[in-house]
Each structure stands twice: as C-alpha cells, then as structure tokens.
Amino acid sequence: MALALLVPLVQAAPEKAEAANAATVTVNAGSIVDSSMNNPSWYLNQSGLKSASTAGPSYWENLKNSDTRYVRAWFKPTKYYNRTTGVYNYDYQNSYMEQLGKYAQRIILNVDQCDQADMGFNPSTMTITNSTACRNVLKNGIKEYKKRYPQIEYIEAFNEPDKDWDIETYEMPAVPPKSSGYAPSPKLYYEWYKVFYSVINEINAELNPPIPLKLGGPALGFYNTTYIDAFLNAYRDDTNPNKRLDFISYHQYRQRGTGVAENPGPAAVKNERSILETKLTNRGLDPQTKVFVTEYGVFPGPATGPKGHSDNTQAQDQLTQAAAMATTGMYYVEGGMTMPMHWTIDHGDNPRKDMFVDGLDGVPLPYYNVLKMQSMLKTSRIASSTSAGALNATTGLGVHSLATRDDSGIAVMFVNYQWDQIAAGQGMDYNVTTTINNIPASLFSGSRKMRLERYQIDNTNSNYNSGAANAPLKKIEDVVLDYSSTLTRPSFYMGKNTITLMVLTPVHRYELESSAIAKTVSSGDSQTNVSDAAASGGAFNKFDSNAVGDYVEYTLNVPQTGTYAVMARVKKGADRGKFELTVDGAIVGSWKDLYAADQGFEEIYIGNKYFGAAGSKKFRLTVKDRNAASSGYSAGFDFIELVPRSAVTYELEQLSPQVGIPTQQDPYYFISDTTASGGKFVKYAATGAGANNNIRFLIHVKEAGEYKLYVSGKTYTTRGKYQVYVDGAALGGVQDQYATTEAYADTLIGKVVFDKPGVKEIKLQITGKNSASTGYDLSLDTLRLEP
C-alpha cells in the first residue's frame, strides 16, 4: 500500500549523481526471530584509565546512554602485590573500578599473571614447578576486589596465553622478553586454570556473595580451534568434581573481508557459537555453556600501517572500524553469541579503535556513534533480508540489516561494509530501497501516524574527521507518514562503510502553521506563519509578544486517551521569551527558555500529560519571563508532538546493586520469595545510618519524560528509614519500611523529570530507623516509573 508523505522535517540529502549498485532490504515486522535480542551495545571493554581532559562529564554521560550491561576490565597482581616487601596495595585500582560503576551493571575481570617468580616458572622450559605463592596472591586479590565491588561477576583466567606470556623486564629481568615468544602449551595453561577454579570455589564459599563469581577461559588471542580443542580435552579429562567452566572466551581480530583463508570476512564469525556447541557436545560437555568474545575487531597490531590491510589514513581506518564492528556485531547476534564485547572505548595508543577523540571530553568518533545506534534498537529482533547480489555471504561485504521492534516502535540498522576499499574505484556503493511489511497496527493504534527518523554515519555525517561540528550522531531525515501495514521508502545512498539507522515511532504531530489549527492570541499581539526551509513543512508559526502574560493558544484534536510526552520543535533566537504550557488550563511541565544567541531549531521536551478523553484541547503557551540576555518576548513554534508513554518496571534482582564505598560497605542478598515480583527481592543489610550506608541501582530510561517513581518493598520490624536520590538529587521525603507485619508495599516517592534518555542512578540512603525497629535493613522488590 502506498504511503502519503506528510510534513517533512528533515529531508534526506540529495542522492549521489554517480552510478551506484541497487540493493533492497526487506523487513517482515510481523515475524519475530528473537523476542529478547542480545544487543551488542550491552558489552564493552574499558582498557584503562583516561585523562580528565578526555573522561569528563560528557564522556560518562555518553557511556551511560549506551545501556552497558557488562564491562570488561583488568587487574595485575604485580600492581597490587609487591613480592619483595610482601605488601598488598589494593587501592591502586580504585579509580579505575569506580569509573566502571558510573555506567555498567556488572564487571568481567581479566586477571593477569603474577610475578614470574611467584608463578614458579622454570624459564628454560616454561613448566610450572610451584603455584603456591601465585595462588595466594590471586586469591587475596580476587577476594578483596569482589568484596569492594560486588558487581564483579566473571573472572577470566589470564589473557591471550596462545600468544605468549607477558614477561616484563621488571618482573623477571633474566627471562627473555615477550618478543621471544614463550607461548605456554594448553596443558600448562590448564594447570593454571585448575588453580583459578579452586580459588574461585573457595572465595564463593567464604563470601557467599549475592552474585557468585564465575570462571572461564582460555581468553585466546584469536579463534584458535586447535588450542580450544586441547583446552576442552583437558577440562573433560579433569576428574575433579569441583571443576568449573562457566564460559569459554577468546578474541577475534581476523575477519576483515580479504577473502583469503585467514581473513575471509565477518561472515565467518556467524557460526563460531554453533561450532563450539558441537565441540562441547562431542565431549559430553554442556552445549549451552556461555561463549564470550571478549575482544573483537579487524585491526590488530599497530595504530597505523599495512598489517593485514592497506595503508589507509587514520580517518579512513576509523570509519572502517565503525562499519566492521557494526557488521560483526550483527553476525554475532544472528549466530547466538552470548557476549560479544566491543573493543574498545579508548585504546590509549591505537586511536583507530577509539570511540572518543583523545584530549576532548566525550567528543565521539564514528565507532561510538555505532554504539549509540545499537543502543537505539528495540527489544525483539524481526526478520530482514538483502536482495540477491548486494551481499557476499562468504566475505560479508555488502549491505547488511538488523531489524527490531517493541511497543515503542521499529528500528532497522543498515551497514554497507566494504572493509578498507575506500580508494576510488574500489568497493561498492549502493542505493538502498527499504520495504517494511506487516507493520502491526497495535504499534500505532489511535495515532495513525508514523514518525520516520534516519541517522547516518559516513565520511561527512556523524564523523569528527570531517569537522568537530559533525562529530555527534546526525539525523538526516525526519518525516511523518500515515499509518499503513507496508512501508516502502525511496532509495537512499550508502557509500562505502556507511551506517544508517531508521526508526519508526508512533506520534500525533500538529504543524502549528497549518490553517486547519485554530489559533488565538492575547489582546494586542499577533501570530504569523514564516516560511523557513529548515522548518517542518517549510514554515513555522511566529508569535509576536511584548510582555509577560501574553499568550498564543492552539486548539488541537487529541484522538485517543492516554499519557503522552509533549514535545515541541521551536526556533530559538536572541529576542525570545520564557514560556509555560497549559492544556485546558492545567500546567504541563516547567517554563522553557527559548533564548539563544544564534537562531536555530531545537526539539524540546515540555512535560507529560494524561488525557482522560479524546477531542479538542486548548494548548496555551504563556510568556512568564525572559532571559536577561534576551531583547524580547517572542517565540517561534514549529510543531507540537504527542508521543505515547507507558509504565516501566525494573526487577531489582536483575540489576547489579552497588553499596557504600569500596572500603566500607554493608552486604546485600537476593532472597527467593514466591510472593515477590519476579520471585526474588533484594535485602540490603544496612548496619547503620549515614552517607556510606546506601544501596544504588542503575536503570536504563529509554524515553524522556516526567514519571512518578515508586519503590516496592517488604515491610518488617527490622527495617530502616531511607531517602531516595535520583542522579544525586533528593526526591520526596524520608520513607520508613518499618511495620509490625511482613507485607509488600508500593510507595510513591515523587515525580521526576528525565529530559534525556539514558542510564540513571537511583540511590536509597539510610537516614535512621523507627524507634520500634530493631534494625536498619531494607527489602526492595521493584522500581517503577509511571508516566
């Protein structure tokens, strides 16, 4: 069914004049392939501490917005233990570990080697002679960090043992350097793996942590099937009943797209999980053992140069990195990989792998913008395919798609992956036509409109290398369409290594310059339509006001009951005022300042509004004040948009609580209870009241808006009082969980406004206890955001 194009906001850039290959991506929105898609944006590597100039507020805000579930980090026993003095210093790692807690739910910790002497190596044969000293150092370190950072869940035993031991001169000067290539055999590695699992079992028994430690390996430098076979054989033949293999891990840097055996292209990674399942099955081991690719990419080795690829510029390599990671991530999703971990946020000495510009706070490179696109994908994966000839199934070169949907809409990510064929005459450009079939009416019930937004990363868009102003993720198309079960979009151009995200969202949009919308202004004032190519529909409505109290009122038809986020696109300027919105006399949100030194359009969130009945509503914007720098009280209103909102519940036992401070914290537990939501609740065993007696949760808020925050928990005679903080700001008053009987209670804490989506910290701080209570603990079941 053809769709009528309505009210364009941002038109797509003119298509390239030169010839390009044709490709069609077909999406079946009615065919759910995976109801709970394993999003690649959830898994990151943070390889080290960054300088304050790079890792400032914007850096952490960007990472929080990616909704990180797991981050991989490292520690070196040689850093926290000095074998000469016998002194442990665990604090050296605090800043690094606390950085991870700013944005990640849980941590995978790669544990490096002990001092070579402590490992009992015979340098001439590289055999293990005595593991006792290293074993003690490993256990002491892992146990201490687990106590300080309970969100540590997985331990990875050593790093890339198939390459060589990291023998550094300060550890064993008499041992030849790393370049000599002392690579331990799988048999030797497994001897150390046995040390690890005995240590992990002991720590779990001694600490009984709410998130038990899990162990895996061998953390290979590449997908080395010979080494994996030997490792699995050793594990199979190990007769210890307490042995454990919670996950298999390796790195993947070889799939680039050259078509040769070593580097066939990213398509080769799709079957890695299924191959490992077969290996496990053939050995009588659990085929559902988790598989982690704890690093992946296409650029091993140096920061520049021809190692395995042509000698392109750093800017070209950074775009190739973005496209390669997007493509490989798609194959890992399709192949069922448990945890494919992005490499890396900031490499330090290899900027072509970086997500941010060194020395600039949170300024994104194309790779971060890929992560941002992935985080905007929906919950369920739906079927999609590329037309014949536009995708090479062997190398993975060509046009890829990853299509998703949930109750908030549909999102499709496209990549034209061409490896490093950026030079003229190499690689393929495509004009891509998209058809989305079987779009569920339930997604757009009542609104009958679909907002289509398209974002793009290429040589000029969302690319710092084409200018600092072009660094953030850029929207290049924004239109509103009538609902239909089938959407066919005109072809759009995708050059080599271009990445595009298309998002469909249900909306009611009102073009305020429309003659169909009744407008009223205060006495003595005027409103006029002003033509502007940058405005939605080519014009906006200008309100010429001269005093506080003046208003412009639009009568809008709300077609369906429900709660909506009220959004507005405004044109700011140097003569603008501050405005308040009321709907039928009721205030919505807070004042909005439309002043800006330079004119320009901006989309703003005003507030949430519940409509108990459909029909005509009066949206009045009243002048309340003006910025001290403003020369007037006028306004430019482009459109008002109503976006449906619904409640979101967070099961707290599925999150990763953080408590107190690293050196002083109260424990928490996950308690099974059939009457709890999800069958469990979190018990925080606070020992007193004060700043350090707190429990914190990171929640991912997908949609901006105003919400009521509820805390559900179980009252009892041992409970304490608590104050809720949202991103550091107190919300509501002090709450008391004391009661003479056990019962679940749903407590309204207060109203909170999130101007932007992203990860938010909810902290419950113990302030005291009821005089009748015998303790300070809390029982916490869920957090709920209700629009």
Side-chain angles (χ1 to χ4, degrees):
M1 183 181 298
L3 291 175
L5 177 64
L6 308 177
V7 294
L9 171 56
V10 179
Q11 293 282 20
E15 304 300 349
K16 297 276 185 173
E18 64 264 27
N21 298 276
T24 299
V25 170
T26 302
V27 176
N28 184 350
S31 176
I32 296 179
V33 178
D34 185 351
S35 61
S36 183
M37 188 189 73
N38 196 25
N39 195 318
S41 72
W42 296 344
Y43 311 112
L44 298 180
N45 274 276
Q46 184 175 326
S47 51
L49 292 163
K50 301 304 297 180
S51 66
S53 61
T54 295
S58 295
Y59 181 92
W60 300 119
E61 184 69 19
N62 283 336
L63 288 179
K64 285 173 67 176
N65 289 340
S66 70
D67 187 21
T68 304
R69 306 292 174 89
Y70 286 89
V71 64
R72 179 168 173 256
W74 289 259
F75 76 56
K76 283 179 172 288
T78 54
K79 295 291 188 181
Y80 66 74
Y81 176 71
N82 185 320
R83 72 176 307 271
T84 301
T85 63
V87 173
Y88 287 88
N89 175 20
Y90 301 109
D91 291 343
Y92 95 97
Q93 193 86 338
N94 281 351
S95 295
Y96 178 38
M97 299 297 288
E98 287 165 12
Q99 284 184 350
L100 309 179
K102 291 177 183 287
Y103 64 91
Q105 291 286 352
R106 297 193 183 181
I107 297 170
I108 298 175
L109 204 58
N110 180 278
V111 179
D112 209 343
Q113 294 167 239
C114 303
D115 186 290
Q116 293 292 315
D118 284 335
M119 292 182 77
F121 277 147
N122 179 330
S124 64
T125 62
M126 291 300 287
T127 59
I128 184 172
T129 57
N130 184 359
S131 64
T132 303
C134 180
R135 185 189 192 281
N136 291 337
V137 173
L138 291 173
K139 180 178 178 180
N140 291 339
I142 295 171
K143 184 176 181 179
E144 178 64 23
Y145 284 117
K146 178 62 175 175
K147 288 164 61 178
R148 295 186 180 203
Y149 305 99
Q151 64 268 43
I152 297 172
E153 181 173 2
Y154 292 103
I155 299 294
E156 194 177 36
F158 296 155
N159 190 54
E160 299 187 345
D162 53 327
K163 292 176 64 177
D164 45 47
W165 290 110
D166 190 5
I167 300 170
E168 301 184 40
T169 55
Y170 71 85
E171 296 171 349
M172 278 284 282
V175 175
K178 182 176 180 178
S179 58
S180 298
Y182 277 115
S185 67
K187 181 179 178 181
L188 174 58
Y189 173 80
Y190 193 77
E191 290 302 309
W192 281 105
Y193 187 82
K194 290 195 294 186
V195 171
F196 267 94
Y197 74 60
S198 67
V199 163
I200 296 304
N201 289 338
E202 289 176 11
I203 293 172
N204 281 337
E206 293 166 11
L207 297 182
N208 190 27
I211 304 173
L213 289 173
K214 303 175 183 70
L215 177 70
L220 302 178
F222 68 101
Y223 185 59
N224 185 335
T225 56
T226 301
Y227 201 111
I228 290 173
D229 285 342
F231 172 75
L232 293 179
N233 288 341
Y235 179 76
R236 176 198 60 196
D237 298 338
D238 185 350
T239 59
N240 188 333
N242 297 315
K243 68 181 180 181
R244 64 187 307 147
L245 177 61
D246 298 300
F247 65 93
I248 299 168
S249 67
Y250 59 90
H251 304 161
Q252 179 56 278
Y253 286 106
R254 294 189 165 198
Q255 312 305 335
R256 303 167 204 165
T258 61
V260 300
E262 183 184 0
N263 302 308
V269 310
K270 175 182 174 181
N271 297 320
E272 289 173 0
R273 173 63 193 260
S274 63
I275 292 171
L276 285 170
E277 287 179 1
T278 300
K279 290 178 180 294
L280 290 162
T281 300
N282 291 343
R283 290 167 172 80
L285 304 175
D286 183 4
Q288 298 307 308
T289 300
K290 294 179 173 65
V291 182
F292 299 170
V293 184
T294 47
E295 298 176 20
Y296 68 99
V298 292
F299 289 136
T304 58
K307 183 175 181 179
H309 64 93
S310 61
D311 195 7
N312 291 330
T313 66
Q314 179 173 294
Q316 290 170 330
D317 278 353
Q318 286 175 339
L319 185 58
T320 299
Q321 167 80 358
M325 297 303 288
T327 303
T328 308
M330 288 182 180
Y331 278 117
Y332 278 134
V333 168
E334 189 175 352
M337 184 57 61
T338 311
M339 201 179 294
M341 308 200 75
H342 278 282
W343 181 263
T344 178
I345 297 170
D346 276 293
H347 193 277
D349 59 2
N350 195 335
R352 67 182 174 183
K353 302 180 184 182
D354 284 359
M355 292 186 179
F356 300 103
V357 180
D358 282 340
L360 299 177
D361 175 22
V363 175
L365 288 165
Y367 184 14
Y368 171 78
N369 287 327
V370 163
L371 186 76
K372 180 65 176 174
M373 279 187 177
Q374 290 175 334
S375 73
M376 295 165 69
L377 293 170
K378 307 301 182 180
T379 303
S380 299
R381 183 163 69 95
I382 53 180
S384 65
S385 60
T386 301
S387 56
L391 177 60
N392 185 313
T394 301
T395 65
L397 298 182
V399 176
H400 299 262
S401 63
L402 177 57
T404 62
R405 61 165 262 208
D406 59 22
D407 291 342
S408 66
I410 294 171
V412 186
M413 189 171 178
F414 307 79
V415 187
N416 176 22
Y417 180 57
Q418 296 294 327
W419 174 220
D420 61 0
Q421 308 302 304
I422 296 175
Q426 296 180 322
M428 298 287 188
D429 300 333
Y430 285 94
N431 288 320
V432 180
T433 301
T434 307
T435 297
I436 305 177
N437 297 312
N438 300 315
I439 300 173
S442 59
L443 290 181
F444 301 92
S445 176
S447 76
R448 314 311 295 173
K449 303 290 184 187
M450 303 187 297
R451 181 180 186 181
L452 186 150
E453 300 165 278
R454 188 159 64 89
Y455 303 82
Q456 189 150 300
I457 306 167
D458 56 28
N459 286 321
T460 56
N461 294 298
S462 314
N463 194 331
Y464 173 82
N465 294 302
S466 67
N470 298 324
L473 184 62
K474 183 179 180 182
K475 185 190 302 181
I476 65 170
E477 187 176 9
D478 190 338
V479 296
V480 171
L481 310 166
D482 284 328
Y483 168 76
S484 173
S485 62
T486 298
L487 165 67
T488 298
R489 294 296 295 150
S491 65
F492 53 86
Y493 177 76
M494 293 189 72
K496 299 177 244 320
N497 293 336
T498 291
I499 308 106
T500 286
L501 177 70
M502 183 182 293
V503 181
L504 285 177
T505 307
V507 296
H508 303 288
R509 180 181 287 180
Y510 307 89
E511 290 291 330
L512 299 181
E513 74 277 7
S514 170
S515 60
I517 294 176
K519 306 173 184 68
T520 303
V521 296
S522 47
S523 178
D525 300 313
S526 63
Q527 57 81 26
T528 55
N529 292 333
V530 178
S531 296
D532 191 322
S536 172
F540 67 93
N541 188 246
K542 175 79 181 302
F543 174 45
D544 291 305
S545 166
N546 54 27
V548 171
D550 292 345
Y551 66 84
V552 58
E553 185 176 273
Y554 304 98
T555 302
L556 308 179
N557 181 52
V558 177
Q560 188 181 25
T561 62
T563 299
Y564 297 87
V566 182
M567 313 291 293
R569 191 168 191 256
V570 300
K571 188 168 188 181
K572 292 188 170 183
D575 61 347
R576 303 303 200 236
K578 296 181 179 181
F579 286 78
E580 178 182 74
L581 173 67
T582 59
V583 177
D584 289 346
I587 296 172
V588 178
S590 57
W591 298 359
K592 302 301 175 185
D593 189 353
L594 306 190
Y595 168 80
D598 299 314
Q599 287 194 351
F601 285 97
E602 182 177 333
E603 192 167 344
I604 60 173
Y605 165 75
I606 297 178
N608 277 21
K609 174 65 179 174
Y610 173 74
F611 295 97
S616 295
K617 313 293 177 183
K618 297 186 181 298
F619 286 66
R620 177 175 290 192
L621 289 143
T622 302
V623 179
K624 304 299 290 185
D625 198 356
R626 70 177 181 185
N627 190 294
S630 178
S631 62
Y633 297 92
S634 68
F637 298 111
D638 191 6
F639 63 69
I640 286 176
E641 202 167 66
L642 302 181
V643 184
R645 289 288 184 262
S646 57
V648 181
T649 298
Y650 302 88
E651 293 287 348
L652 297 183
E653 73 276 6
Q654 295 178 6
L655 302 180
S656 183
Q658 300 177 51
V659 290
I661 57 176
T663 56
Q664 179 184 342
Q665 43 181 264
D666 300 320
Y668 65 88
Y669 310 95
F670 295 153
I671 307 296
S672 295
D673 186 338
T674 56
T675 61
S677 173
K680 290 183 179 181
F681 66 85
V682 177
K683 181 180 179 181
Y684 173 45
T687 56
N692 296 330
N693 303 108
N694 64 74
I695 185 167
R696 307 183 298 280
F697 301 90
L698 298 179
I699 63 171
H700 185 240
V701 178
K702 289 189 174 182
E703 306 287 351
E706 179 182 77
Y707 297 89
K708 297 175 184 176
L709 174 64
Y710 290 83
V711 173
S712 174
K714 198 173 188 180
T715 61
Y716 194 49
T717 57
T718 63
R719 306 296 192 245
K721 296 181 179 181
Y722 64 91
Q723 171 70 54
V724 172
Y725 294 83
V726 179
D727 282 345
L731 181 68
V734 172
Q735 310 296 327
D736 190 352
Q737 269 204 337
Y738 169 81
T740 56
T741 58
E742 283 189 295
Y744 281 98
D746 201 28
T747 303
L748 173 61
I749 305 301
K751 291 184 178 180
V752 60
V753 175
F754 298 116
D755 289 324
K756 297 178 181 179
V759 173
K760 315 296 179 182
E761 183 189 78
I762 309 297
K763 179 172 73 174
L764 288 78
Q765 182 167 308
I766 303 298
T767 61
K769 67 182 183 68
N770 190 294
S771 59
S773 177
T774 60
Y776 295 89
D777 63 70
L778 298 178
S779 161
L780 304 168
D781 191 11
T782 64
L783 295 174
R784 188 172 81 258
L785 294 178
E786 198 169 275

